[in-house]
Amino acid sequence: MKVVTTADVGSFESLYRVELRPITALASSMTGSRELGRDIAHEALLRAYRDWARVATLDNPGAWVRRVAVNLAIDVQRRRARERIAVARAGSRLAAAPVDDPLADATSTRFWALVRALPDQQRAVVALRYLDDLAVQEIAEILAIPVGTVKSQLFKARHALATALSKEPA
Amino acid sequence: MIDEMRFERIARTAAAAALADVEATIDVEAAWHRFRSSADAIATVRAAARAPRRPARTWLAWSAAAVVAVGAAVAVIGSSGGDRRLRATTASPGTLLGPAGSTTPGTGLPPGSAAKVAPPDQPLDPGALLDRLGATQLVLRSTDQVEAVTPSSTARIPVPGDRVRWVGGFVVTETVQGDVVSSTAFDIRGRRVCSADGLVYRLRVNAAGSGLVASVTRPWTMTAPIGEVPSFAVDCRSGNSTAIAPAQTRSEGGSTATDYLGNRSYHVAFSADGNARITDDQHVDVLGGDAAVTYVFDDRGTAIAYGVLTDNPQVTDTVAVRDLAASDIPRWRVAVGGSVGALWWVGDRVVVAVSGDLTHPERTSRLVVLDGSTGQVVDAVDSSLPVVAVSAADPSTDPSTTPPTAIPGAPSTG
């Protein structure tokens, strides 16, 4: 294992301080849970720390951490969906238990709830677009998908969200 | 449905609220100290796990520490990290790092069209499609290979990576290893003609006419920096590379690139949404004020066909053609009956890959052939074949005998 030197820690600390909040916001919004968002951000940054000898050589380590966080958030969402199905099959009402939402504003809360209902890739694209204000090409590079796919996923997501937002909340 | 501006306001407000929430609830200083403690504990445990076997009593202590440290630090496990989604991309010849196309619902073919639509129950094979389009080269994508078809040959090229592009008559596959892209170019007969680190945006014959030179941007990593992206001319035979004038600049709001067409150059500014505005070397807007969702120059360098950006930033159902020398007024502008996925010039005609599926532009459902001069529909072929490229260039022409085209700023490497 690579020994993390004092200099390494110094440069990693800078990344940590800059990226902790935006990555937590990204993960919290994607999962709907402030606690999960923190855990995911922590894990993503921990992976960067453990592999800092390599990650530090990247042009944009923050983007690397974002990709890890997005993948973790998608994975967690999938696992939770499977758990909800399993619980529902077991006849428990816990399946409908809401998660803690990090947002107070009703419209914003609803917006992110709708985002979380989108397919994995669309959810990630919307979160990166609006939370990190990233261009389509940057999103494509972080998610390792073609620009055209980002555009189509963003279009589809916007269309679905706009349609849902136009309706009165249930 | 709420309009785009209102949607943007809602989305931005929601993003600001999410960011404000973490701003208010996360103490970065305290988090950093907790992080260092847990990270160091994990590092210690992992180092111990790799150490020579210890007496049982010591192992118990290490195991206890591991449970505490891992339990405290790793709340989320099982990432699918590194998940590379394998997708075909449809790049246009002559474009430089340009975006792929996108989709929108169509409004029907232009009035008076004489479209001949192949019955859906008679799917065309690649050879028949080549013939139907009046093309001489057709590149199709399947799961792990591309099929390069000419009237006299079919080559199957393995695609080890996740991306395929058509660069000036060559099939270029891109492989991502770690965070670095490497490219391999094949000719239409499937012969490997070049390998280079970076992203190939142009291939040409060297000044001596003895081999190929690839223009690449490098490093082309997952997280390329903001600013000029260095370009290199790579001699395909020796692998030697020489720095040339940067062809792309990345910025926070998008990127800019330069397309070279013969002895002319075109400056392309991509917005954050990936749409292009293009000016020539005399600073003339060759799109006459339009923005292009996707675009392609013709082989002679006299005209440009493009998907016209309309109300939606991502999709269009409208194609236009303008003369590069007199671009104020378009030659024509037509709706193609579906979302524009990609465009190619085939001689004097424009072939448009059209998707009827709003959400999957890569799922071409029809190829519409338009007269490049008038915009009249010459043909329309129902086809779900995933087309990477179609061309009317003479496939019998050996690329190594093609007269070289000068690239401003590119030194001779032959």
Side-chain angles (χ1 to χ4, degrees):
Chain A
M1 180 176 181
K2 200 263 182 189
V3 176
V4 180
T5 66
T6 307
D8 288 337
V9 171
S11 62
F12 176 81
E13 183 179 353
S14 301
L15 173 86
Y16 185 95
R17 289 178 182 278
V18 169
E19 298 290 6
L20 176 64
R21 281 172 168 160
I23 289 173
T24 304
L26 179 71
S28 298
S29 301
M30 287 183 70
T31 60
S33 165
R34 187 184 284 144
E35 292 309 314
L36 269 177
R38 285 179 180 175
D39 287 342
I40 288 171
H42 180 95
E43 171 65 9
L45 287 160
L46 186 64
R47 290 185 187 188
Y49 181 81
R50 289 199 301 246
D51 200 14
W52 190 237
R54 184 179 70 84
V55 176
T57 65
L58 301 177
D59 293 314
N60 186 350
W64 186 93
V65 179
R66 265 173 188 74
R67 182 160 70 160
V68 173
V70 165
N71 285 335
L72 286 170
I74 288 173
D75 196 54
V76 165
Q77 278 287 88
R78 286 177 180 165
R79 198 179 325 146
R80 283 168 43 163
R82 287 196 296 270
E83 288 167 1
R84 277 197 292 272
I85 291 169
V87 170
R89 282 177 180 160
S92 168
R93 297 177 68 181
L94 288 175
V99 294
D100 63 314
D101 198 293
L103 306 168
D105 175 71
T107 305
S108 297
T109 300
R110 187 157 172 247
F111 177 84
W112 288 115
L114 292 169
V115 169
R116 288 190 289 278
L118 294 172
D120 294 342
Q121 205 170 65
Q122 289 178 37
R123 191 163 69 246
V125 167
V126 169
L128 289 166
R129 180 79 176 96
Y130 290 105
L131 281 169
D132 283 322
D133 203 21
L134 295 179
V136 166
Q137 189 160 346
E138 294 168 307
I139 297 170
E141 284 152 18
I142 287 173
L143 298 180
I145 58 177
V147 167
T149 303
V150 174
K151 293 169 76 172
S152 65
Q153 294 297 296
L154 191 54
F155 170 73
K156 184 182 178 187
R158 280 172 169 164
H159 183 78
L161 291 170
T163 303
L165 286 166
S166 301
K167 297 172 185 168
E168 288 298 315
Chain B
M1 194 164 76
I2 63 174
D3 62 28
E4 191 186 328
M5 284 186 64
R6 188 166 167 224
F7 175 79
E8 285 293 313
R9 277 201 303 275
I10 292 172
R12 301 283 173 195
T13 302
L19 292 167
D21 181 78
V22 294
E23 195 78 24
T25 58
I26 291 183
D27 179 341
V28 174
E29 193 63 37
W32 168 243
H33 288 296
R34 282 198 303 275
F35 178 89
R36 276 302 306 274
S37 302
S38 61
D40 288 346
I42 288 173
T44 306
V45 169
R46 285 172 184 271
R50 292 190 173 98
R53 188 174 177 80
R54 295 168 185 274
R57 186 174 167 187
T58 311
W59 269 107
L60 281 174
W62 283 115
S63 300
V67 169
V68 172
V70 175
V74 187
V76 181
I77 57 174
S79 164
S80 60
D83 175 26
R84 303 241 179 247
R85 296 156 182 84
L86 304 186
R87 298 289 171 87
T89 57
T90 49
S92 305
T95 61
L96 170 64
L97 311 181
S102 45
T103 76
T104 202
T107 56
L109 294 171
S113 76
K116 297 175 290 181
V117 179
D121 58 347
Q122 296 177 18
L124 293 172
D125 63 32
L129 182 59
L130 190 77
D131 188 44
R132 183 79 178 263
L133 297 176
T136 54
Q137 301 183 57
L138 176 67
V139 179
L140 301 167
R141 175 73 197 257
S142 64
T143 306
D144 57 358
Q145 66 179 16
V146 297
E147 202 170 328
V149 184
T150 74
S152 60
S153 67
T154 298
R156 291 180 175 80
I157 301 167
V159 180
D162 54 359
R163 294 191 288 199
V164 179
R165 297 188 303 125
W166 178 248
V167 180
F170 295 91
V171 177
V172 176
T173 66
E174 294 163 4
T175 306
V176 182
Q177 290 185 323
D179 300 299
V180 179
V181 176
S182 58
S183 303
T184 305
F186 300 84
D187 67 13
I188 194 68
R189 294 188 180 83
R191 296 174 297 200
R192 193 170 79 170
V193 295
C194 199
S195 293
D197 289 338
L199 197 150
V200 173
Y201 62 89
R202 185 175 173 85
L203 278 154
R204 66 184 177 89
V205 178
N206 64 22
S210 58
L212 290 171
V213 175
S215 301
V216 304
T217 51
R218 190 194 301 157
W220 185 261
T221 66
M222 181 186 79
T223 53
I226 286 175
E228 286 187 341
V229 183
S231 288
F232 298 87
V234 178
D235 185 303
C236 294
R237 189 167 295 168
S238 67
N240 294 336
S241 65
T242 310
I244 58 176
Q248 193 196 29
T249 301
R250 298 161 61 91
S251 63
E252 290 183 358
S255 64
T256 62
T258 306
D259 270 358
Y260 295 106
L261 210 61
N263 57 0
R264 301 292 304 272
S265 63
Y266 295 88
H267 180 263
V268 187
F270 293 105
S271 69
D273 279 320
N275 301 308
R277 293 188 181 277
I278 306 173
T279 51
D280 66 14
D281 41 20
Q282 304 299 312
H283 307 290
V284 174
D285 181 351
V286 299
L287 300 182
D290 284 344
V293 171
T294 183
Y295 68 93
V296 56
F297 293 104
D298 73 347
D299 295 335
R300 294 192 301 269
T302 59
I304 184 170
Y306 60 101
V308 184
L309 176 67
T310 51
D311 294 335
N312 190 286
Q314 274 78 46
V315 296
T316 186
D317 68 343
T318 304
V319 174
V321 164
R322 289 177 189 265
D323 290 310
L324 292 172
S327 57
D328 289 350
I329 301 171
R331 278 189 198 170
W332 50 263
R333 184 188 293 249
V334 297
V336 292
S339 46
V340 176
L343 300 165
W344 305 275
W345 282 93
V346 177
D348 294 327
R349 296 174 175 179
V350 177
V351 174
V352 186
V354 177
S355 171
D357 185 340
L358 182 67
T359 60
H360 292 285
E362 70 277 15
R363 292 180 188 168
T364 300
S365 56
R366 176 178 290 187
L367 295 167
V368 177
V369 185
L370 303 167
D371 184 303
S373 300
T374 65
Q376 285 292 305
V377 176
V378 177
D379 201 351
V381 184
D382 280 351
S383 174
S384 59
L385 291 172
V387 178
V388 174
V390 55
S391 165
D394 182 0
S396 67
T397 304
D398 186 335
S400 66
T401 65
T402 306
T405 304
I407 300 177
S412 165
T413 56

